[in-house]
Amino acid sequence: MEAHTLSAPRIRVNMIVEGRNPRTTADYDQEELKEFAESIRASGGVATPILLRPWQEGKFQLVAGWRRWRSTIIAYGDGDEVTIPADIRVLTDEEADHLALVENTDRKAMTPLDEAEGAARILATCKGDRGEAARQLGWKQHMLDQRLALMYAIPEVRAALRKKDILLGHAELLAGLRKESQQQALASLMAAPALIEVGTFKSMLERMALSLGNAIFDKADCAGCQHNSGTQQAMFGEAIKDGNCTNKVCYDAKVDTVVQSRAKALESDYQVVRIVRAGDNFT
């Protein structure tokens, strides 16, 4: 990655604006920030430069080093006399996203959700090439696939995970459902008097899942499908047992296609062919 570097060893903290940090502010422990600020004050300032890029109106956007920047402000304030060492590079959005994600991953474990959202942005810059995205991130392909799979979770599920209203296991199980089902299941999960354990929640979803082993349709298209529990087991730490489908709409549509085809084939031999579905005529 080529980037033009300017010479500017120290920058006023009030000339810096927050950037596209893949780690959300909520991930930072406030007491830890205060302790780091005390350490900065005791040592006379930050030693490791933060990474900036030129921004609007003569300011600089933070690419990496939010913790160092924020703790410096806690320690010394944000007056014109307060500065911080900085490397300044002219970067595109894609380059900034890449450097921010790599810096955060290397420095301290990010949440799986932040890694997932950051990896999705990197994948977009790689035009969907997962191999290249994994190479840029320094991840194994399996880790990239696991993190990207979490993006199947609808925004409401990801928001609940970020606020810690649900656990990662809940989010992974929900991500295996179709979007409409995720909304319903999340509502039920949140409505419970106490947070349902991941194992109990998994058992609930397994009871509602549809068996692929008993399906009458060709299951070739099901291999690798995000709603196939076998695929989910490869992607997530938490998934329902193998051999099930979590997309009832798709499952029922495939069954109906086969039934309609069989009924059509019988019309030449029988005057009346009637399809009776479960629930019809009190069946």
Side-chain angles (χ1 to χ4, degrees), residues 152-224:
Y152 287 130
I154 59 175
E156 294 88 340
V157 170
R158 301 204 302 271
L161 177 60
R162 177 165 284 120
K163 292 188 295 183
K164 300 181 180 178
D165 291 335
I166 61 175
L167 302 176
L168 175 60
H170 294 119
E172 289 180 331
L173 289 166
L174 288 165
L177 306 177
R178 56 190 293 266
K179 292 182 178 180
E180 293 76 8
S181 298
Q182 286 188 48
Q183 292 173 336
Q184 298 167 4
L186 177 64
S188 298
L189 195 59
M190 300 294 287
L195 185 61
I196 300 171
E197 292 184 355
V198 172
T200 303
F201 187 56
K202 182 194 297 187
S203 297
M204 293 167 57
L205 295 181
E206 284 177 345
R207 288 195 293 270
M208 295 185 289
L210 301 160
S211 172
L212 287 170
N214 296 331
I216 62 174
F217 53 80
D218 183 357
K219 294 174 280 294
D221 292 341
C222 300

Side-chain angles (χ1 to χ4, degrees), residues 105-156:
T105 302
D106 288 344
R107 180 177 60 79
K108 185 179 179 181
M110 296 171 62
T111 67
L113 182 57
D114 284 337
E115 286 185 343
E117 293 176 345
R121 288 196 295 269
I122 297 299
L123 182 65
T125 67
C126 296
K127 296 180 172 56
D129 186 337
R130 293 198 174 204
E132 176 60 20
R135 187 192 67 77
Q136 288 192 18
L137 291 167
W139 292 357
K140 292 183 178 180
Q141 180 83 41
H142 180 63
M143 179 177 177
L144 177 68
D145 292 342
Q146 279 190 317
R147 287 295 177 261
L148 290 174
L150 197 55
M151 296 303 291
Y152 287 130
I154 59 175
E156 294 88 340

Side-chain angles (χ1 to χ4, degrees), residues 17-75:
V17 298
E18 293 196 44
R20 299 153 61 93
N21 190 347
R23 189 191 299 272
T24 61
T25 303
D27 292 332
Y28 292 93
D29 184 286
Q30 296 306 307
E31 288 303 317
E32 183 181 307
L33 285 176
K34 290 178 183 178
E35 290 176 4
F36 189 38
E38 289 297 327
S39 174
I40 288 173
R41 191 182 291 111
S43 59
V46 169
T48 305
I50 61 175
L51 178 59
L52 307 174
R53 64 172 176 164
W55 200 238
Q56 303 164 356
E57 300 176 357
K59 293 185 178 294
F60 299 91
Q61 187 186 59
L62 185 65
V63 177
W66 187 92
R67 182 168 169 267
R68 279 164 279 162
W69 170 64
R70 190 64 201 166
S71 295
T72 297
I73 293 175
I74 294 173

Side-chain angles (χ1 to χ4, degrees), residues 89-119:
R89 303 184 195 178
V90 178
L91 301 166
T92 64
D93 287 347
E94 292 77 12
E95 290 169 336
D97 285 346
H98 172 73
L99 288 171
L101 183 60
V102 170
E103 194 269 356
N104 274 281
T105 302
D106 288 344
R107 180 177 60 79
K108 185 179 179 181
M110 296 171 62
T111 67
L113 182 57
D114 284 337
E115 286 185 343
E117 293 176 345

